[in-house]
Amino acid sequence: MIKFQFDSEQRYRGFATVQYLIALGRACRSRSTNCIGSLSCWAIALRFALLTLALDLPNAVAQTAVTTPRTIRVTMDSTYPPYSFRSDNGKLQGILIDQWLLWEKKTGIKVELHALNWGDAVAGMRAGQFDVIDSIVETAARREYFDFTPPFTTMEVPIFFRKDISGITDLASLKGFPMGVKTGDQHIDIFKANGVTTLIPFPSHDAIVSAAKEHKINVFAFDGPSAHYFLNKHGIEGDFRKSAPIFRDQLRRAVRKGNTAMLRTVSEGFAAISPGELERIDEKWYGSTINNFGRYLTYAGYAAALAILLIAGLAGWNRTLTKRILERTAALGQSESQLRLSIDTIPTMAWIFLPDGRMEFINQRWLAYSGLSLEQALEQPTRTVHPDDLPRALEKWTVNRVSGEAYEDEMRLRRADGEYRWFLIRTVPMRDERGTLIRWYGTSTDIQDRHRAEEALRETQAVLARVTRSTVVGELTASIAHEVNQPLAAVVTNAGAALRWLDG
């Protein structure tokens, strides 16, 4: 089917033709009651109208040929499963790729697909390198540069956090947590507006989950299907939990601002794809629900019979196992008590930090020095640091924690009586057999006496310098006096001789 697009002049000529047709018909009807004559007039008018339209037909076809593109360039995220991502051999795949191939078949227009890091894709679209950007969320800021299609799906965005962290439910609960985000994510401004400012940008979702696996971050938020894909891929899905969705994003396609022809071409092409075709593509990548009801019925009888046989054996084995567990638990509780006693009595303050910066353990000597309760020390581990030393110490500690390098610094810590004393702080990382950072072990050593000795030494050196300068000046004075006395003595002697000579 050929779709004609008429400009304003063609619409005017068509309208004039119709008006002329109506006027001519009325004239013929008013001048003659002969039916044949009226039909002749109408026939003449109809021929004239068809002739007028025929004259305009080449222009309409030519205009359509000019405005329909032969190729369009489409950009999208390269790490956004199941919509667009690369296989192990680098091949681009996913729901969007299959949809665009079907769109190409429906429209006859060649599609060039360009998958990039999301930030680069958005920047390239704004710079005019591409005609269409796919799977983008409409925002007020983006409406200044793009025109959007209607949404084609809604994506839920929960907060993902390590399972040993509790209390994260919404945006407000994220304050203070270092949080991984994707560069160019439309939620960054929303996070900042809600006081979540400790944001660590990464180029892709895969990079965020890789950092989470290495314990560099413990909290992140992006689209649920993509997050589950990468968590499973890296084998850490069991280490994380998620909140209820904090965002529900509608994915759209967009063109550059004002390019209505391209927007219409894209929309009409996808409208030509049937819902059944789209559903088959989704099922290919999302999979379909497995109906195990019949299988469960078959296996239920076998399971029941096997359970009866196992229960008897398990009962006796359970009693034996319970006894052994209790014995080993008692031995472990005694070993832990001895270890805790040793750590509490060593002549230094010791503590343990988790990779995300939370304090896990602190020994009794530290509590005795600070005068804090265990809960206070664990919740606010920096409250004893001198205010003048805290910004520098936090900045240096953050750099070392992210890099995984050992840390050493000097700072003043407040004692229970309010006095600040100088301490040498040292931390070393502990890693598992795969090299993953699991804990930081640290000590705080009192170096106040050393600081005082160094201060006394500096004062002594200053006094010694002053004495040395005085000694040098005295020696110089004596030398000058000696040098002056000799010629003066010679002058006195000569003067005496001259007086005696004059008396003679």
Side-chain angles (χ1 to χ4, degrees):
M1 180 180 67
I2 300 176
K3 182 176 181 180
F4 299 106
Q5 298 177 352
F6 298 97
D7 59 17
S8 58
E9 182 180 354
Q10 291 166 338
R11 286 195 298 268
Y12 174 78
R13 286 199 294 268
F15 177 78
T17 301
V18 173
Q19 294 294 323
Y20 179 79
L21 176 65
I22 295 172
L24 184 59
R26 289 174 177 172
C28 292
R29 186 171 53 188
S30 63
R31 294 181 182 179
S32 174
T33 58
N34 190 333
C35 181
I36 297 177
S38 299
L39 291 177
S40 299
C41 292
W42 281 105
I44 294 171
L46 180 61
R47 289 176 183 175
F48 180 80
L50 291 176
L51 178 62
T52 303
L53 292 176
L55 292 174
D56 283 337
L57 180 60
N59 294 330
V61 174
Q63 182 180 3
T64 302
V66 171
T67 58
T68 302
R70 295 182 178 180
T71 303
I72 65 170
R73 300 160 298 171
V74 180
T75 188
M76 60 189 64
D77 197 333
S78 61
T79 57
Y80 191 44
Y83 284 91
S84 55
F85 62 108
R86 297 189 183 277
S87 63
D88 293 338
N89 60 6
K91 181 182 177 182
L92 188 61
Q93 58 185 0
I95 293 175
L96 298 184
I97 286 74
D98 288 356
Q99 288 182 353
W100 278 107
L101 291 177
L102 187 56
W103 185 95
E104 182 180 73
K105 184 178 179 180
K106 296 284 186 180
T107 62
I109 301 173
K110 179 67 177 176
V111 178
E112 294 180 0
L113 298 177
H114 302 266
L116 307 171
N117 287 336
W118 182 243
D120 296 336
V122 175
M125 185 66 188
R126 287 186 56 181
Q129 299 174 5
F130 309 107
D131 302 306
V132 184
I133 185 169
D134 207 334
S135 64
I136 188 171
V137 177
E138 182 178 5
T139 64
R142 289 172 176 172
R143 281 194 292 268
E144 298 181 6
Y145 309 100
F146 306 135
D147 288 331
F148 296 85
T149 67
F152 59 85
T153 190
T154 299
M155 197 64 63
E156 293 185 344
V157 181
I159 305 169
F160 291 85
F161 50 93
R162 202 168 293 278
K163 65 181 180 181
D164 57 356
I165 302 175
S166 59
I168 294 182
T169 57
D170 51 20
L171 285 174
S173 63
L174 290 173
K175 293 180 180 179
F177 284 94
M179 182 171 173
V181 294
K182 185 173 69 172
T183 302
D185 195 318
Q186 69 274 6
H187 303 127
I188 291 177
D189 292 338
I190 301 177
F191 286 133
K192 292 181 178 179
N194 284 271
V196 184
T197 57
T198 313
L199 301 177
I200 304 174
F202 292 90
S204 65
H205 292 161
D206 194 8
I208 293 176
V209 178
S210 296
K213 182 178 181 180
E214 298 173 2
H215 290 262
K216 293 182 178 178
I217 58 172
N218 293 307
V219 182
F220 59 87
F222 58 84
D223 301 353
S226 184
H228 285 292
Y229 175 86
F230 286 116
L231 287 170
N232 277 283
K233 178 181 178 181
H234 290 280
I236 58 172
E237 186 176 36
D239 298 337
F240 281 82
R241 292 185 291 174
K242 67 178 181 179
S243 71
I246 57 174
F247 304 113
R248 285 182 171 83
D249 295 332
Q250 293 184 320
L251 300 187
R252 305 169 186 262
R253 299 175 179 97
V255 301
R256 293 192 300 277
K257 190 72 175 179
N259 194 352
T260 56
M262 180 61 67
L263 187 65
R264 183 173 58 252
T265 299
V266 172
S267 300
E268 291 176 352
F270 279 102
I273 302 175
S274 68
E277 291 172 317
L278 294 175
E279 184 177 351
R280 284 191 290 273
I281 293 176
D282 287 345
E283 186 173 302
K284 171 184 175 181
W285 293 102
Y286 276 109
S288 57
T289 303
I290 300 175
N291 184 6
N292 289 322
F293 183 72
R295 186 182 302 174
Y296 290 153
L297 290 178
T298 304
Y299 294 153
Y302 296 107
L306 182 60
I308 294 173
L309 296 175
L310 291 176
I311 287 174
L314 288 175
W317 180 75
N318 184 56
R319 286 194 296 270
T320 304
L321 182 61
T322 301
K323 182 179 179 181
R324 291 181 179 178
I325 291 175
L326 292 175
E327 292 174 352
R328 293 191 178 184
T329 301
L332 181 62
Q334 183 179 0
S335 176
E336 184 178 353
S337 299
Q338 292 175 350
L339 178 61
R340 180 60 184 255
L341 180 62
S342 299
I343 296 177
D344 283 339
T345 55
I346 60 175
T348 191
M349 298 192 298
W351 34 267
I352 300 174
F353 271 111
L354 295 175
D356 61 0
R358 291 182 296 119
M359 182 172 282
E360 181 184 47
F361 166 81
I362 195 165
N363 71 343
Q364 187 60 38
R365 187 173 292 272
W366 201 100
L367 296 175
Y369 174 84
S370 64
L372 302 176
S373 65
L374 179 61
E375 292 75 14
Q376 291 173 327
L378 294 179
E379 290 176 1
Q380 296 179 312
T382 61
R383 66 185 298 173
T384 60
V385 181
H386 196 286
D388 294 341
D389 301 336
L390 183 58
R392 172 187 52 80
L394 285 178
E395 180 179 2
K396 186 175 180 181
W397 166 237
T398 301
V399 172
N400 283 73
R401 183 166 61 83
V402 173
S403 64
E405 301 293 333
Y407 170 83
E408 181 174 316
D409 198 2
E410 294 182 5
M411 64 186 70
R412 289 165 288 182
L413 301 181
R414 187 180 68 247
R415 199 165 58 185
D417 60 2
E419 179 186 352
Y420 283 94
R421 295 179 64 85
W422 281 98
F423 280 80
L424 175 64
I425 312 298
R426 286 195 176 108
T427 60
V428 292
M430 178 182 178
R431 304 180 183 273
D432 59 17
E433 63 277 2
R434 296 178 297 178
T436 301
L437 181 65
I438 56 177
R439 281 185 178 84
W440 289 91
Y441 289 92
T443 59
S444 302
T445 305
D446 192 327
I447 57 173
Q448 180 67 28
D449 294 337
R450 191 186 79 181
H451 265 259
R452 289 176 178 173
E454 291 174 350
E455 184 65 26
L457 177 61
R458 286 192 292 270
E459 293 178 358
T460 302
Q461 289 175 339
V463 172
L464 181 59
R466 289 196 298 271
V467 172
T468 301
R469 288 195 296 270
S470 299
T471 302
V472 171
V473 171
E475 292 177 353
L476 180 61
T477 302
S479 176
I480 294 174
H482 176 73
E483 295 297 331
V484 173
N485 284 337
Q486 283 186 343
L488 287 178
V491 170
V492 171
T493 301
N494 291 334
L499 288 174
R500 288 193 299 272
W501 182 78
L502 289 174
D503 289 341

